Amino acid sequence: MMFTENQKGVFRLLIFVLVLLILVLPFLTCGELLRAASVAQIQQHMGKEFLYGTAYSNNYSHYKYQVLKQRKPKILAMGDSRTLQIKGDFFKHPENFYNAGMLTVSLDANINALLNFPKELLPQTLILCMDQSFFTQKGVEDQRYFDEPSFLKKEDYQSFNILIRRMADDRRKDKFHFWNLLWQPNKIGVLAKTKGFGFKQDGSYYYGDVYQSKKTGAERTAVDLDRIRKGEGWFAGGEHVYSKTVERVQALIDFCKSNKIHLIAYTPPFSQSAMQIYKTRKDVGFLKEIDPVVGQMIRNAGFEFYDYTDPSKLSLTDENFIDAFHGSDVAYCLMLRDMLHKNSKTSQYIDAAKLEKLYQNRVSEIVLEVGM
């Protein structure tokens, strides 16, 4: 059969388009180019296997806000990454809970976010992670650029040209394979598709590769211990609780009172290895003041405060940690169980028997249930 020149031209064009499509497809299917609002819309049509984790853009604050507007939860968890293992499955009615961890990071950002929420987004109960960095002058002042919630700013995302260059560069470094980006339709983003890292439907975070790893707790926690030893960044020390933090906590209390929000605040646990280092440092007097100063303020206002800085309060070992300062699902299950034992008002939302069953049937010391 003879082809005319026109037919040959069309055939060559089709081949060119097919090759181009094959080359471009991974960049399109990975989901890195999707805006936060689009991800939030798509998420509603995906099941429990949904996972959102980008590697080349940081639009998590915008994403969390978009989902928050959809869900309008009665129980809202807020704070930095040390909030993210509070799971919807811990609650009697998971649909009434949302984990907005990473919507904001600093204490002021949390307060500013609440002030900027429409009234219909304010929860009945606010579970607030108060990172130890909130209580030192250096921890507060060095992080002032976080104080304006990111969802109030212009969304940060990659253009197609920049994305191609960065992804191609990482592929050359063998960080991932393009074919991993073509499958797993319930996962959006390179981290989600290649490492199983990302946000679940309830806003909590899933550490897929960590759960599959053979590393021991000691190996997982070792990575950050040097920073903690040096007191760098989030791990800065102080002789006393920073006075401006006390002022901001009072502002938070006043806001919650005036809006009839029940506040449940906690300081998250460090790993055993990290805590041992803190106990040898001479600049951490503030840790002993957190509960009697800030905690007492919150309790005097009729709210709840729990200081879990020392992991021994929950009988946690390094095996219960993702790294030196991020507790696992198991750690946070034990944290909520302890709150219940102390007559927390979370008892109206959490079934103690369900929590205990999750713990007793846990897969490992960091995983309660696969896919949870």
Side-chain angles (χ1 to χ4, degrees), residues 221-362:
T221 58
V223 178
D224 300 291
L225 294 182
D226 195 47
R227 281 199 298 156
I228 294 171
R229 191 174 289 109
K230 293 176 181 177
E232 295 177 348
W234 298 107
F235 311 112
E239 186 177 351
H240 301 289
V241 166
Y242 187 35
S243 59
K244 289 185 179 178
T245 297
V246 176
E247 294 172 9
R248 299 309 290 149
V249 170
Q250 186 59 56
L252 174 67
I253 289 171
D254 293 341
F255 178 85
C256 289
K257 277 190 170 183
S258 63
N259 287 278
K260 296 181 173 57
I261 298 170
H262 182 67
L263 175 64
I264 300 173
Y266 70 92
T267 51
F270 286 110
S271 66
Q272 236 179 18
S273 296
M275 198 66 224
Q276 286 170 2
I277 293 172
Y278 270 106
K279 288 178 178 178
T280 65
R281 285 172 50 180
K282 300 184 184 304
D283 62 344
V284 292
F286 77 98
L287 289 178
K288 294 179 181 178
E289 291 186 357
I290 291 175
D291 189 74
V293 175
V294 175
Q296 199 55 50
M297 281 176 63
I298 293 173
R299 287 190 290 267
N300 287 344
F303 299 137
E304 301 176 39
F305 181 84
Y306 305 93
D307 183 7
Y308 294 119
T309 299
D310 190 331
S312 66
K313 291 182 179 180
L314 297 172
S315 300
L316 300 175
T317 71
D318 283 0
E319 296 302 325
N320 301 127
F321 283 78
I322 302 297
D323 54 34
F325 60 105
H326 286 99
S328 66
D329 298 3
V330 173
Y332 278 70
C333 177
L334 292 174
M335 185 181 80
L336 289 180
R337 188 179 71 170
D338 185 73
M339 289 182 186
L340 290 178
H341 289 165
K342 293 175 178 173
N343 299 315
S344 168
K345 287 189 178 179
T346 53
S347 60
Q348 61 186 298
Y349 303 117
I350 298 175
D351 184 340
K354 179 181 179 182
L355 211 60
E356 190 63 31
K357 185 177 180 181
L358 280 169
Y359 177 65
Q360 295 300 334
N361 295 330
R362 64 192 181 279

